[in-house]
Amino acid sequence: MSKLISGFSKLTKDEKITWLTENYFHNQSETKDIIKQYWNSNIDLQQLHDDFIENTISNFYMPFGIAPNFVINNRTYVIPMVVEESSVVAAASLVGKFWSTRGGFKTKVISTTKIGQVHFMFAGNKNDLETYFNKNKTELFAATASITKNMEKRGGGILDIQLVDKTDKLENYYQLHATFETKDSMGANFINSCLEAIAKKFEKEDIEIVMSILSNYVPECVVRAEVSCKIEELGGENPQKFAEKFYQAVKIAEIEPYRAVTHNKGIMNGVDAVVLATGNDFRAVEAGAHAYASKSGQYTSLSHCDISNGIFKFWIEIPLALGTVGGLTTLHPMSKLSIEMLQKPTARTLMQIMAAAGLAQNFAALRALTTKGIQHGHMKMHLQNILNQFNANDKEKEIVTTHFDNRTVTHSAVVEKIDSLRNPKVNWIQFLDKNLVRSKLSMLKANAKPLFGKMNGQQMIEHLSFLLQISNGKVDADYYVSDEKSARRKPFLNTDGELQVGFKASMLSEEPNDLKFNSVGEAIKDLFNQIDNFNLHFKTAKAENHPFFGELDYEYWQKFHVKHFTHHFKQFGLV
């Protein structure tokens, strides 16, 4: 059956969801429930979100966090961040506070010029084209008068229009290269409207307009952010060594593209989070930033470092085409809150805030990489994601978080800890408690089959007695165990670990020993005698040799017998 559909956009939202679930999901009811549970209960607010894009069926939530304690040009900010990656907000917050006591972030906008181009083909004489352009340049500005009027009142507009010859790259290809100032708006719609008006005015029979579009490469819309302090003020055990390693890490990113891409991705973790929170276009910002990083012909770091004359200086220059009015910024309720949270900045100020956020994120990543490693802090934050993945309750989260306060977080270690909380604790058989042992053995049927291994019930009891006799000095077990092996094996007796199925000292035979007693009752009686003798023996004895663990004292032998009794009682389902 074909899954192609005509007129999909004309369906209601419910009809779209029904068609989608019927054609692409196995559990239609559950899928519909998930989609609809993300609808906003406020009908008007949901309609606002539905109108942002086409074919809307639901909302996709992203965490909205804040990073306080940012001091930028002596003004304190709390920075809104929308991001799904753990540790980003925490890292920004820590670095914001770190530099707040060291002069804060110093930022400045270098330029705010944005670019748009009319791309066209012309096969005639270049001099004729230049003459036509120069003659009509004033008319090109005039063609946009109705569009630029309001922008010009705010101090913006078209700065210049130039004719650019690109025929050496592509036959007959030329551009009208226009520069713009859009003040507090990002200006995409404004620029594109101007370009289309210019193209319409410029086009004639021998000029074929291909397209008119703004560029997201904005190398003249650049902001700089910087932090600096005396090297000794960086803190830590050896601030000079830290500064040197940090400097080397930045230098590596400047010359090695493979490292530079990840380095800059870390910067964009901070930048994009603020771009999203303020309703700006993170795709345009990303494209422009990475293009800027390649402007020399090789991809390189967006940030730089200097540690000369005892001063640590770390800075970034990054192109950011942003807006604080128009578009999603003034439509999305959370974007409006973000702008208010940032004390209603101009686009220039917002550029500086975002640059500071990117620099902070880069500082945090490099500090982690050159000290404890990136995973140390990241996994601490990722801990909560792992706990949520396993549906940990509040009590489990509290216990596990406390457990990893001073331990390295790994996925396997967290899972192991969760399992230890959830799996029932081992019901250890305290073999010196003869009442407990007697009650458990009373459950042993004469014809009981083992859950593992080859021994029958009586052979198991006599086997326990045999190991007790070794500990009691009645059976010589001087099987040599080196000090090295003993030191490696004995710590296991201090753990909660159980003897594994198949565990066997090498001195023991593969097959069960022949029965020594005529009945289970006699075997049990002997077992209790050996338990009594165990305590008596160690009133005078210091230690006895174990055929696997080596020389054990009373305490270690007791730990072994607890594990050994538990292991074999489990063999017959008595525990």
Side-chain angles (χ1 to χ4, degrees):
M1 185 177 101
S2 174
K3 293 182 179 179
L4 299 178
I5 182 173
S6 298
F8 181 75
S9 62
K10 295 181 173 61
L11 299 179
T12 66
K13 187 158 65 170
D14 277 315
E15 289 171 339
K16 288 171 183 170
I17 293 170
T18 298
W19 174 86
L20 176 69
T21 55
E22 286 179 352
N23 282 278
Y24 289 94
F25 291 92
H26 295 297
N27 193 327
Q28 297 172 27
S29 177
E30 181 182 349
T31 302
K32 283 185 177 182
D33 287 343
I34 292 172
I35 290 171
K36 291 185 177 182
Q37 75 183 12
Y38 283 91
W39 289 4
N40 198 292
S41 58
N42 184 311
I43 296 174
D44 291 336
L45 186 57
Q46 182 57 56
Q47 186 61 52
L48 176 67
H49 282 70
D50 287 347
D51 291 342
F52 287 155
I53 61 170
E54 306 77 30
N55 295 339
T56 309
I57 61 170
S58 191
N59 307 308
F60 188 95
Y61 291 172
M62 290 274 280
F64 184 108
I66 58 171
N69 301 317
F70 268 79
V71 176
I72 303 172
N73 294 338
N74 300 316
R75 189 175 186 179
T76 303
Y77 291 89
V78 56
I79 298 182
M81 306 183 83
V82 173
V83 63
E84 89 296 344
E85 185 174 335
S86 59
S87 81
V88 170
V89 178
S93 300
L94 287 171
V95 172
K97 188 173 183 180
F98 178 88
W99 285 107
S100 69
T101 59
R102 293 166 175 81
F105 294 81
K106 303 302 180 185
T107 62
K108 66 176 181 179
V109 174
I110 296 172
S111 58
T112 57
T113 301
K114 295 166 187 172
I115 294 166
Q117 296 165 324
V118 176
H119 305 270
F120 67 94
M121 311 304 285
F122 175 73
N125 184 282
K126 180 183 175 181
N127 291 332
D128 292 342
L129 180 64
E130 288 177 341
T131 300
Y132 173 71
F133 169 73
N134 290 327
K135 180 180 178 181
N136 289 279
K137 186 173 181 179
T138 302
E139 295 300 316
L140 298 180
F141 278 96
T144 66
S146 61
I147 303 169
T148 59
K149 180 173 60 176
N150 290 332
M151 183 66 74
E152 288 171 352
K153 287 179 180 178
R154 301 200 300 271
I158 304 173
L159 302 178
D160 192 16
I161 305 172
Q162 295 178 347
L163 175 66
V164 179
D165 182 353
K166 288 282 184 175
T167 55
D168 61 327
K169 303 290 185 183
L170 179 64
E171 187 178 5
N172 301 329
Y173 170 42
Y174 293 86
Q175 298 172 355
L176 293 182
H177 186 92
T179 51
F180 298 83
E181 170 59 60
T182 62
K183 304 306 286 183
D184 288 335
S185 69
M186 190 276 176
N189 290 331
F190 168 76
I191 292 172
N192 288 335
S193 296
C194 288
L195 292 172
E196 288 178 1
I198 291 169
K200 187 176 181 180
K201 184 68 178 177
F202 191 69
E203 188 173 28
K204 64 189 184 79
E205 185 176 338
D206 53 353
I207 293 177
E208 181 187 2
I209 303 297
V210 177
M211 56 185 170
S212 307
I213 186 71
L214 88 163
S215 173
N216 290 126
Y217 181 41
V218 283
E220 296 176 14
C221 187
V222 179
V223 58
R224 177 187 172 104
E226 178 184 306
V227 289
S228 64
C229 68
K230 292 179 180 179
I231 289 176
E232 62 262 29
E233 292 174 356
L234 289 169
E237 294 180 4
N238 190 335
Q240 181 65 40
K241 181 63 176 176
F242 165 72
E244 290 171 0
K245 285 188 71 177
F246 192 102
Y247 171 80
Q248 290 164 351
V250 175
K251 287 298 175 184
I252 289 169
E254 287 178 351
I255 66 164
E256 173 49 66
Y258 283 94
R259 170 59 198 143
V261 171
T262 308
H263 178 97
N264 289 344
K265 185 268 182 184
I267 292 172
M268 302 314 291
N269 277 346
V271 172
D272 283 347
V274 190
V275 174
L276 280 168
T278 55
N280 275 278
D281 186 345
F282 76 92
R283 299 162 304 279
V285 168
E286 279 276 347
H290 294 299
Y292 189 76
S294 303
K295 67 181 186 296
S296 67
Q298 175 179 303
Y299 191 93
T300 187
S301 168
L302 289 167
S303 62
H304 309 280
C305 182
D306 182 79
I307 54 171
S308 58
N309 302 317
I311 302 296
F312 174 89
K313 185 163 69 172
F314 183 47
W315 72 95
I316 188 174
E317 288 187 5
I318 185 171
L320 292 172
L322 305 172
T324 56
V325 298
L328 202 64
T329 300
T330 50
L331 282 177
H332 198 296
M334 293 302 293
S335 295
K336 289 194 286 187
L337 284 181
S338 294
I339 294 298
E340 185 174 356
M341 187 187 306
L342 292 170
Q343 302 164 66
K344 298 183 178 179
T346 62
R348 292 173 64 92
T349 302
L350 185 59
M351 289 170 68
Q352 296 172 75
I353 293 169
M354 285 189 192
L359 188 66
Q361 203 65 41
N362 196 209
F363 180 85
L366 291 174
R367 181 169 63 176
L369 280 168
T370 55
T371 53
K372 294 181 179 180
I374 198 69
Q375 288 301 93
H376 179 80
H378 179 76
M379 291 306 292
K380 283 279 189 181
M381 296 302 300
H382 190 51
L383 173 60
Q384 297 306 314
N385 290 342
I386 300 173
L387 291 171
N388 289 333
Q389 179 185 345
F390 284 88
N391 298 314
N393 58 39
D394 289 343
K395 185 62 177 177
E396 289 172 332
K397 286 181 178 180
E398 180 183 354
I399 293 171
V400 175
T401 302
T402 302
H403 176 77
F404 285 102
D405 272 347
N406 298 303
R407 293 177 173 87
T408 300
V409 177
T410 66
H411 189 276
S412 58
V414 176
V415 173
E416 183 179 342
K417 184 61 179 176
I418 294 171
D419 286 343
S420 73
L421 295 176
R422 292 177 175 177
N423 294 334
K425 294 189 180 298
V426 178
N427 293 319
W428 297 109
I429 298 299
Q430 302 300 329
F431 73 104
L432 294 176
D433 183 350
K434 290 194 290 186
N435 289 331
L436 172 65
V437 174
R438 185 176 288 108
S439 68
K440 294 295 183 182
L441 290 177
S442 68
M443 300 161 55
L444 184 65
K445 299 188 185 321
N447 60 352
K449 292 183 179 180
L451 300 177
F452 55 85
K454 300 177 180 180
M455 292 187 289
N456 62 34
Q458 184 172 333
Q459 287 170 327
M460 180 269 287
I461 295 168
E462 293 186 11
H463 172 71
L464 293 174
S465 293
F466 178 72
L467 268 295
L468 277 164
Q469 289 176 67
I470 293 175
S471 66
N472 296 345
K474 303 294 185 184
V475 173
D476 187 11
D478 287 334
Y479 183 82
Y480 177 70
V481 180
S482 68
D483 291 341
E484 180 185 354
K485 287 183 178 179
S486 180
R488 190 168 65 246
R489 293 169 177 176
K490 276 174 63 175
F492 167 74
L493 298 175
N494 291 320
T495 71
D496 290 331
E498 298 182 66
L499 295 177
Q500 297 299 306
V501 174
F503 171 81
K504 181 181 70 65
S506 57
M507 68 171 287
L508 301 176
S509 64
E510 290 293 334
E511 298 297 323
N513 291 333
D514 293 336
L515 292 175
K516 180 179 178 182
F517 297 98
N518 294 323
S519 67
V520 172
E522 289 181 19
I524 291 174
K525 183 178 179 181
D526 179 68
L527 179 67
F528 287 141
N529 286 335
Q530 301 307 328
I531 292 173
D532 290 336
N533 290 337
F534 176 77
N535 278 329
L536 288 172
H537 180 67
F538 277 101
K539 283 186 177 180
T540 55
K542 298 281 188 187
E544 292 291 348
N545 191 59
H546 186 284
F548 180 80
F549 292 103
E551 193 172 76
L552 302 180
D553 60 14
Y554 172 75
E555 182 181 353
Y556 272 101
W557 266 112
Q558 188 174 343
K559 290 176 179 179
F560 167 75
H561 284 311
V562 168
K563 290 181 185 291
H564 196 227
F565 270 67
T566 303
H567 175 75
H568 285 292
F569 277 29
K570 279 192 169 186
Q571 184 182 16
F572 287 87
L574 305 180
V575 178

